[in-house]
Amino acid sequence: MRTQVGIIGAGPSGLLLARMLQLQGIESIIIESRSRAYIEARIRAGVMEHWVAELTDEVGLGARMRREGLVHDGLEISFAGQRRRIDLKGLTGKSIMVYGQQEFVKDFVAARLDDGLPIHFEAAGVSIHNIEGDSPRIRFTDKDGAPREIECDFIGGCDGFHGICRPAIPADKLSIFEKTYPYAWLGVMVEAPPSSDELIYSSHDNGFALHSMRSPELTRLYLQVSPDEDLENWRDERIWAELQTRLTQDGDWRLNEGPVLQKGITPMRSFVCETMRHGRLFLAGDSAHIVPPTGAKGMNLAAADVKVLAGALTDFYKSGDSAGLDGYTAQCLPRIWKAERFSWWMTQMLHLSPDGDGFDRRVQLAEIDYITGSEAGARSLAENYVGLPFD
Ligand code: FAD
Ligand code: PHB
């Protein structure tokens, strides 16, 4: 098999890259280690920055998102017995789109398969070769057990944090910058109407909690827990009691409860790999960087890399200009580091530090009071949250 761009991974990065290339007449093949059912059921991010929703429209796949997604003009921050609203729209002129990542994945997979374009699901033993040469190769065993080899011009390393692409770059050619946090998120998907029209980020003395949603019937909730926490210790009654305590800060407001459809624990990490390119391999999304989920930046940052990469590949194929490809890492890193900074900042501002003392907690509450009480503070949060402009 031969193609122009071989793409490893059918997450948001790989699917968006394939779609943007397709619209420019550039061929690609996607190789995904999981099944279609698995990637369409995997619950992850929920918030799309303003421009990511617009890009989804531009690539022709925004119809269901516009019908079923929820446009939010603000969010709330709860602390010290009160809740304050950040008016995202009023402060920036922009809204966010609440639409589950797996719905985005479903829309992109369906469109690609309808167009008769290839995604090899359930590929085993995926490996990449000759990335320093002119025609890199991808080898894998397909779902029927047959060995396959794809020759291509470029490889899109869109295979997430635990993929095989980043480790294919020689260790002396990259630098890793990393931070782990002394907490994790326990997330639940609940069959209950959201208890508020907007997201609520809560900084409570028991720890952080978040109220989010997926639809008028589905609520998504998170609790700060210890990173070594065993899910077995969190029966539904304990989760509800803790969510009620951490989210109910004022008066008679109560969190709607309902059947827990899914629960899981996500570790929190900041991670950046510099370089994002080696030879003809280009990393995009979680394969190159991770943010803690507090700023809702993971999927948005993946889309930002892909926007740059798709533009650079288009320039190369249309006019032979390789400046965009050569400048890929340098073009992406400033935005990545701003999202890393914002996610780290939101995380440390809102979570209870297990090593913190009374002084630390008071400084934290003063910061939240300032950010939610000053227009300058709120505007800074808002413009990062809705997505910084592209340079
Ligand atoms: P991924 O979505 O990870 O996609 C990579 C794809 O590559 C996957 O389909 C994977 O199966 C495939 N793959 C992996 N290895 C191989 C291989 N060797 N060969 C072929 N295919 C391979 N962000 C938020 O903003 N909010 C959240 O609440 C949130 N929750 C998250 C929860 C979890 C458990 C995780 C892991 C991430 C979460 N994120 C969240 C981050 C966000 O979901 C990611 O930033 C986003 O998925 C990045 O997209 P991606 O396409 O780069 O990577
Ligand atoms: C979500 O809805 O899953 C979500 C929302 C905001 C975040 C993280 C996750 O910061």
Side-chain angles (χ1 to χ4, degrees):
M1 285 186 282
R2 214 209 109 73
T3 193
Q4 290 175 304
V5 183
I7 298 176
I8 318 284
S13 313
L15 290 165
L16 180 62
L17 179 60
R19 179 76 185 178
M20 292 183 76
L21 295 178
Q22 177 194 345
L23 296 179
Q24 296 298 329
I26 300 166
E27 275 176 24
S28 67
I29 296 179
I30 303 182
I31 297 102
E32 165 60 52
S33 56
R34 301 288 192 166
S35 67
R36 180 180 181 186
Y38 184 93
I39 63 163
E40 291 188 349
R42 192 163 49 190
I43 297 172
R44 288 187 172 174
V47 173
M48 291 162 86
E49 290 176 358
H50 189 80
W51 74 272
V52 178
E54 285 181 343
L55 178 62
T56 307
D57 288 330
E58 278 163 33
V59 300
L61 298 182
R64 193 164 71 95
M65 174 194 76
R66 292 289 166 196
R67 270 197 320 275
E68 298 176 17
L70 306 167
V71 174
H72 285 196
D73 292 343
L75 59 80
E76 292 195 290
I77 298 190
S78 166
F79 69 108
Q82 59 186 305
R83 234 155 66 188
R84 291 202 190 142
R85 182 165 189 269
I86 307 274
D87 180 3
L88 299 173
K89 182 84 185 278
L91 290 161
T92 66
K94 294 176 189 160
S95 313
I96 50 159
M97 171 67 78
V98 177
Y99 189 61
Q101 177 172 319
Q102 84 267 34
E103 305 306 325
F104 177 97
V105 164
K106 281 183 207 164
D107 296 341
F108 276 68
V109 167
R112 185 163 175 91
L113 298 179
D114 282 352
D115 289 341
L117 297 172
I119 307 181
H120 290 274
F121 289 108
E122 297 172 68
V126 181
S127 60
I128 59 176
H129 306 270
N130 197 30
I131 53 176
E132 290 166 358
D134 286 343
S135 66
R137 275 148 215 267
I138 301 169
R139 294 197 188 119
F140 62 100
T141 304
D142 73 15
K143 68 174 186 318
D144 302 319
R148 300 271 203 145
E149 183 174 277
I150 300 174
E151 190 190 321
C152 41
D153 300 332
F154 298 100
I155 294 177
C158 301
D159 53 348
F161 186 65
H162 299 288
I164 50 106
C165 289
R166 189 181 65 252
I169 301 178
D172 63 342
K173 295 283 190 286
L174 51 75
S175 304
I176 300 293
F177 302 90
E178 191 169 13
K179 188 169 187 62
T180 53
Y181 297 85
Y183 25 77
W185 277 14
L186 189 166
V188 286
M189 189 66 84
V190 177
E191 198 182 322
S195 311
S196 167
D197 291 341
E198 296 179 337
L199 272 64
I200 306 168
Y201 288 82
S202 178
S203 179
H204 189 275
D205 287 346
N206 282 16
F208 171 79
L210 171 62
H211 165 273
S212 181
M213 63 200 68
R214 288 293 179 273
S215 72
E217 297 85 32
L218 278 181
T219 304
R220 178 78 169 144
L221 297 155
Y222 297 95
L223 281 174
Q224 173 186 350
V225 295
S226 155
D228 50 14
E229 194 65 67
D230 187 350
L231 205 52
E232 291 296 306
N233 295 332
W234 286 87
R235 303 177 62 84
D236 293 357
E237 305 75 54
R238 183 176 173 204
I239 294 175
W240 284 117
E242 204 50 39
L243 283 166
Q244 293 288 3
T245 302
R246 296 189 196 179
L247 284 163
T248 309
Q249 301 250 18
D250 58 351
D252 47 10
W253 187 88
R254 286 288 288 176
L255 183 64
N256 297 331
E257 298 189 10
V260 174
L261 304 177
Q262 185 268 354
K263 60 179 151 181
I265 293 185
T266 309
M268 295 177 83
R269 180 189 280 123
S270 297
F271 177 98
V272 180
C273 172
E274 294 187 2
T275 179
M276 294 168 67
R277 179 227 180 139
H278 183 69
R280 289 186 168 240
L281 168 67
F282 291 83
L283 304 180
D286 277 18
S287 70
H289 42 73
I290 295 286
V291 285
T294 326
K297 287 282 159 268
M299 181 181 164
N300 297 299
L301 214 42
D305 293 349
V306 168
K307 182 178 153 85
V308 176
L309 182 55
L313 287 167
T314 302
D315 287 349
F316 177 83
Y317 281 111
K318 297 261 141 100
S319 59
D321 178 2
S322 62
L325 292 173
D326 295 338
Y328 174 64
T329 301
Q331 178 83 32
C332 291
L333 279 177
R335 186 179 187 87
I336 291 167
W337 277 110
K338 284 181 193 120
E340 292 284 341
R341 194 240 18 122
F342 178 67
S343 305
W344 161 83
W345 172 75
M346 285 280 276
T347 300
Q348 58 84 37
M349 177 170 75
L350 296 169
H351 289 70
L352 198 71
S353 164
D355 320 315
D357 57 19
F359 181 89
D360 296 325
R361 180 67 180 145
R362 278 162 181 73
V363 168
Q364 210 176 27
L365 291 170
E367 184 168 26
I368 302 172
D369 188 13
Y370 167 67
I371 290 295
T372 55
S374 135
E375 189 181 307
R379 191 185 298 281
S380 167
L381 188 154
E383 72 173 348
N384 280 280
Y385 199 87
V386 300
L388 292 171
F390 279 87
D391 295 334

